[in-house]
Amino acid sequence: MDLVRIATRHLFFTGKGGVGKTSVACATAVGLADAGKRVLLVSTDPASNLDEVLGTSLGTRPTAVGGLPGLFALNLDPEAAARAYRDRVIGPYRELLPPATVKSMEEQLSGACTVEIAAFDEFARLLGDPSATAEFDHVLFDTAPTGHTLRLLTLPSAWTGFVEQSAFGTSCLGPLAGLEKERALYEATVKALADPARTTMVLVTRPESSALSEAARTSAELEALGVRNQRLVVNAVFEARSDDPLALALERRGRDALASMPEALRTLPRTNLPLRAGALLGIDALRRIDAPVTVGDVPAAAPAGAPGLRPLIDALAASRRGVVLTMGKGGVGKTTLAAAIAVELARRGLRVHLSTTDPAAHVADAVATAVAGLAVSRIDPAAETRAYTDEVMGSVGPQLDEKGRALLAEDLRSPCTEEVAVFRAFARTVAEGEDGVVVLDTAPTGHTILLLDAAESYHREVLRQGSRMPESVKQLLPRLRDPDFTRVLLVTLPEATPVHEAQALQEDLARAEIAPFAWIVNQSLAPVVTRDPVLAARRATEAPYLAEVRSLSRQLAVVGLAPEPPRGAERLLRLVASS
């Protein structure tokens, strides 16, 4: 593979969720190890599936990947990193300060913001400290979905700036001395990211318009950060091997998407990888990622009997109020399905609000045109942060002296403020379900759980900043836990990793006392007939995953793979009618 020949010491793999970043990263790592290099593969994704792809149980320390000398891998554990970070920051003060003060510091360091900076500490150590990875020739990072990755990559500048601007020595991350000590490491990390001789950013995408647009946006934002050594990998390029109408339509769909790709991507060195007939699991399969696709004769089969979206939407429409949440691994089609459900509910005469908490989502693009009875919006982090900051300064600022106002303004510049502001908007949107139906396209799994777990840390944060707790926030968890008000839909693909991640999400939700209403298996070949050998082979591999989902779900809907991109109200309604 091209990436093996041109590999710099550091390679990052990033892109829209579900495009195959992990598969491409693992295949590159295997190729480098086969070439005699010592390689460390690191996942910074809270929902990592390196273990499954490599067939090796991994931890937070480099683990040898079985059967391949020279290849090691690890998963960064954000929660474990946060615990270690808290101990490191608070430890020096335990014997010096009163217990009540130490407890207050522990509460300050319990939010999602602390988890993020703690995970970044681990990431920075691997990238910015050469001694930490001196035994390896190459260090590869299988990063999280785009929004989280960009947040991770901007943290060196953001946190260094916050340290420089802070005059009072405390923040939502506790004593700033803990950050100040890491200044040299953060600066080294920034330099490593921007050095083309040391770092290559691999943008992974699929031949789909939304994924290519996301790759172009990522490319521009990375370039603005000084990360200019970029390459493009287009994964799962499909070539029809028959006159099968579905196969020809899918080939044309991919070809058209590549022909109209954003101009910014056309100048990047590019590698195309074919759609494989089977899953890329295990070392042998990863070695064949760019090999010509070969399959035996697979007979066409009649469509499998599986319930589509219509019975599920019948059940959702019955109460005429409440919240519908689509959740799952990035790239499984949550946005499309949320839009399809919202458009169909509006067609039935319900008052519907479609929104998203996912910074990388495109619900307005999915609907494309105005639909009677349907309001479409997105939670804009920048706008919500500005509004929250203005509210706090307006309500609390007048009660403080000049120094107190300066301290409050400084505190509100911290990245934690955005978490609080977005959480308020999420709670406010959920509250609208009292007067109609709210369909929320939520963020990828890890981010969603952080959001749902944020209620108590949010409460502490708003009290610390002196702002008021809105009624919508007070009622959020009771609403989410009420099965008559909130219906959680777990969205997956008929493949190993998305199904197992959705299962893990279901278990996380159970700990939060939230039970999924139904599962949706998206982009399935089971409900369709195809003579194309690659599609037929992939269809045959779906059976065990569909059976697994049936055993996990109380209600199931299976949505067939659409020959045309399901964009616009008309095609979204067709998706409902055909499933």
Side-chain angles (χ1 to χ4, degrees), residues 82-409:
R83 287 193 296 271
Y85 179 85
R86 281 192 291 270
D87 289 343
R88 188 169 69 252
V89 171
I90 297 173
Y93 298 92
R94 291 192 185 279
E95 302 300 324
L96 301 175
L97 299 176
T101 304
V102 172
K103 181 174 176 59
S104 175
M105 291 169 63
E106 289 173 340
E107 289 181 349
Q108 282 182 240
L109 290 168
S110 63
C113 203
T114 302
V115 173
E116 191 165 20
I117 191 62
F120 174 71
D121 262 1
E122 296 292 306
F123 160 82
R125 181 179 58 82
L126 293 170
L127 185 64
D129 180 2
S131 66
T133 56
E135 63 184 291
F136 299 103
D137 300 307
H138 298 278
V139 183
L140 281 58
F141 293 89
D142 170 32
T143 58
T146 306
H148 185 274
T149 299
L150 291 174
R151 173 77 168 160
L152 192 67
L153 294 179
T154 56
L155 276 172
S157 301
W159 288 111
T160 299
F162 187 56
V163 170
E164 289 171 350
Q165 294 174 26
S166 181
F168 297 97
T170 61
S171 75
C172 55
L173 298 174
L176 283 175
L179 292 178
E180 185 66 36
K181 292 175 184 175
E182 305 298 334
R183 181 191 293 269
L185 179 60
Y186 290 176
E187 290 176 348
T189 302
V190 174
K191 289 179 181 176
L193 286 170
D195 184 352
R198 287 189 285 169
T199 299
T200 302
M201 190 65 58
V202 181
L203 304 171
V204 184
T205 185
R206 285 194 174 222
E208 300 168 0
S209 296
S210 61
L212 288 162
S213 296
E214 187 74 20
R217 185 179 71 84
T218 302
S219 175
E221 294 189 11
L222 289 169
E223 185 159 345
L225 292 169
V227 183
R228 297 185 175 86
N229 185 14
Q230 302 176 18
R231 296 183 65 89
L232 184 69
V233 172
V234 182
N235 190 34
V237 177
F238 176 67
E239 179 183 341
R241 286 166 170 74
S242 70
D243 60 356
D244 179 80
L246 175 62
L248 293 173
L250 291 176
E251 181 182 48
R252 183 174 61 253
R253 177 174 166 178
R255 188 171 59 243
D256 290 348
L258 291 175
S260 59
M261 79 162 63
E263 193 63 36
L265 299 180
R266 296 179 184 277
T267 59
L268 298 180
R270 182 169 121 197
T271 300
N272 286 354
L273 297 174
L275 178 71
R276 313 299 310 179
L280 283 166
L281 298 176
I283 301 300
D284 289 340
L286 291 167
R287 286 187 174 119
R288 297 193 299 271
I289 192 171
D290 59 345
V293 176
T294 57
V295 292
D297 293 330
V298 181
L309 280 178
R310 190 173 295 280
L312 174 59
I313 296 177
D314 290 342
L316 295 174
S319 67
R320 307 186 69 83
R321 64 186 286 274
V323 176
V324 178
L325 299 174
T326 56
M327 294 187 178
K329 176 180 170 64
V332 297
K334 296 186 302 294
T335 301
T336 296
L337 291 173
I341 291 168
V343 169
E344 174 63 17
L345 289 172
R347 188 193 67 81
R348 297 185 184 195
L350 278 70
R351 181 169 171 267
V352 184
H353 179 191
L354 171 64
S355 189
T356 181
T357 64
D358 188 342
H362 310 279
V363 288
D365 291 343
V367 177
T369 56
V371 175
L374 175 63
V376 181
S377 71
R378 65 180 288 265
I379 294 174
D380 181 345
E384 295 296 338
T385 301
R386 284 194 300 271
Y388 175 69
T389 299
D390 291 344
E391 177 187 323
V392 173
M393 290 302 297
S395 61
V396 180
Q399 305 168 32
L400 304 174
D401 59 19
E402 185 177 349
K403 183 176 180 180
R405 284 193 296 274
L407 177 60
L408 179 61

